[in-house]
């Protein structure tokens, strides 16, 4: 098994989940995130001291400011963004990860879903970047074949013991 390529340290801007507004107050409101839609909602309006809302991509921000997205992305065929709101659609950096470390596991590999032993061959030249992850529906017999082939080719498998070990 080959070690992953060198990479900069992985920094997550936020690891906590986003909880739905008032899910802590009412038992019937599930904590799974839903965007507040009310006209007076203080979370939607991002008032100070309220729960955090997930970041939105630029087209949504453009819509929030009442722009046409072609204008907000500075399409040369369209008119320029008004001066009073110039550049606002691009200041919301949000909670996204660094592009260099996005989708990296703590080991430094990216996960590659494998369904059969032939899929492991694809990782032969990329074993420093990707690690094989055996798919959920693969039988225990095929899992043994996949793990053996990965060991032979020097490919890391993230879940080699899943469904292979027996109860004792």
């Amino acid at each position: 098994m080959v070690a992953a390529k060198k990479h900069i340290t992985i920094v997550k801007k936020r690891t906590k989940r986003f909880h739905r507004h008032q899910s802590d107050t009412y038992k019937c409101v599930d904590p799974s995130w839903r965007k507040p839609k009310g006209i007076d909602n203080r979370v939607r309006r991002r008032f100070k001291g309220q729960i955090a809302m997930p970041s939105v991509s630029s087209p949504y921000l453009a819509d929030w400011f009442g722009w046409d997205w072609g204008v907000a992305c500075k399409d040369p065929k369209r008119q320029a963004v008004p001066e009073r709101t110039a550049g606002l659609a691009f200041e919301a950096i949000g909670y996204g990860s660094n592009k260099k470390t996005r989708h990296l596991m703590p080991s430094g590999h990216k996960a590659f879903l494998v369904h059969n032993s032939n899929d492991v061959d694809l990782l032969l030249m990329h074993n420093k970047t990707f690690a094989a992850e055996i798919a959920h529906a693969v039988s225990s017999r095929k899992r043994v074949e996949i793990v053996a082939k990965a060991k032979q080719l020097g490919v890391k498998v993230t879940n080699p013991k899943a469904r292979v070990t027996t109860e004792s």
Side-chain angles (χ1 to χ4, degrees), residues 65-68 71-72 74 79-88:
F65 285 114
W67 298 340
D68 187 14
V71 175
K74 297 186 171 105
Q79 60 184 2
V81 177
E83 281 301 314
R84 62 182 173 79
T85 54
L88 276 177

Side-chain angles (χ1 to χ4, degrees), residues 4-167:
K5 284 192 297 190
K6 283 275 197 192
H7 59 86
I8 59 175
T9 54
I10 300 168
V11 177
K12 304 285 185 192
K13 290 184 187 171
R14 184 184 169 99
T15 54
K16 292 193 295 186
R17 295 191 58 164
F18 291 98
H19 291 296
R20 187 176 180 177
H21 179 48
Q22 292 186 331
S23 64
D24 55 340
T25 312
Y26 299 104
K27 201 190 308 184
C28 60
V29 178
D30 194 58
S32 61
W33 175 252
R34 298 289 185 276
K35 188 179 186 322
K37 301 271 180 21
I39 57 169
D40 294 328
N41 191 286
R42 55 196 185 180
V43 173
R44 182 190 61 78
R45 292 162 69 187
R46 300 179 189 272
F47 282 6
K48 199 177 356 177
Q50 301 306 311
I51 61 167
M53 240 171 68
S55 55
V56 291
S57 59
S58 295
Y60 294 111
L61 263 182
D63 185 47
W64 191 62
F65 285 114
W67 298 340
D68 187 14
W69 174 234
V71 175
C73 68
K74 297 186 171 105
D75 189 349
K77 295 177 185 169
R78 298 177 182 260
Q79 60 184 2
V81 177
E83 281 301 314
R84 62 182 173 79
T85 54
L88 276 177
F90 303 101
E91 289 177 11
I93 294 166
Y95 298 101
S97 299
N98 186 339
K99 276 189 180 176
K100 293 175 183 170
T101 60
R102 196 174 295 164
H103 306 299
L104 284 186
M105 296 185 285
S107 66
H109 291 96
K110 292 181 180 181
F112 181 82
L113 204 59
V114 170
H115 292 88
N116 55 46
S117 57
N118 292 340
D119 289 349
V120 180
D121 292 335
L122 298 170
L123 299 178
L124 178 62
M125 301 299 289
H126 306 286
N127 55 3
K128 286 188 173 183
T129 309
F130 292 97
E133 186 168 308
I134 302 172
H136 171 74
V138 177
S139 66
S140 58
R141 183 172 55 98
K142 293 254 189 199
R143 283 172 191 268
V144 173
E145 292 174 17
I146 290 170
V147 170
K149 183 118 180 205
K151 192 170 188 174
Q152 177 189 344
L153 297 175
V155 174
K156 178 183 169 70
V157 180
T158 59
N159 54 350
K161 294 181 180 165
R163 223 193 265 193
V164 175
T165 55
T166 58
E167 289 183 24

